[in-house]
């Protein structure tokens, strides 16, 4: 599965994307696996209230299932202008 990071998440993790093998059933499970990878991931994903997620380019929540998903993107909340 491809994991994409945008804005300050990308800066904290140190990469715009990574490919992971996962057994996560939901986005929340995936976040737990990513946090366990180390300090950079833990710092970036420590405040999930400040993070939005899209599964296969569809805005989703943390309880969204990952069955068959090819891509998960993490990004800060967007504002209009």
């Amino acid at each position: 599965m491809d994991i994409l990071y945008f804005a300050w998440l990308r800066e904290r993790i140190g990469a715009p994307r990574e490919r992971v093998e996962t057994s996560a059933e939901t986005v929340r499970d995936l976040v737990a696996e990513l946090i366990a990878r180390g300090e950079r991931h833990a710092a970036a994903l420590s405040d999930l209230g400040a993070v939005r997620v899209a599964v296969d380019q569809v805005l989703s929540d943390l309880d969204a299932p990952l069955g068959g998903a090819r891509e998960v993107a993490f990004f800060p909340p967007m504002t209009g202008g």
Side-chain angles (χ1 to χ4, degrees):
M1 172 181 302
D2 288 323
I3 310 297
L4 309 176
Y5 304 104
F6 294 92
W8 56 263
L9 290 145
R10 176 183 62 231
E11 293 170 12
R12 288 185 185 169
I13 288 173
R17 70 183 315 137
E18 62 183 320
R19 187 174 248 320
V20 300
E21 295 293 325
T22 181
S23 59
E25 293 183 15
T26 66
V27 173
R28 189 179 308 278
D29 296 339
L30 176 62
V31 168
E33 287 181 9
L34 293 171
I35 287 172
R37 292 182 135 208
E39 288 182 31
R40 289 180 167 259
H41 289 82
L45 299 169
S46 65
D47 180 6
L48 295 178
V51 176
R52 299 295 176 260
V53 63
V55 176
D56 289 334
Q57 300 184 4
V58 175
L59 194 59
S60 302
D61 64 28
L62 294 173
D63 295 316
L66 292 178
R70 293 179 295 151
E71 175 186 279
V72 175
F74 294 98
F75 50 93
M78 300 170 279
T79 60

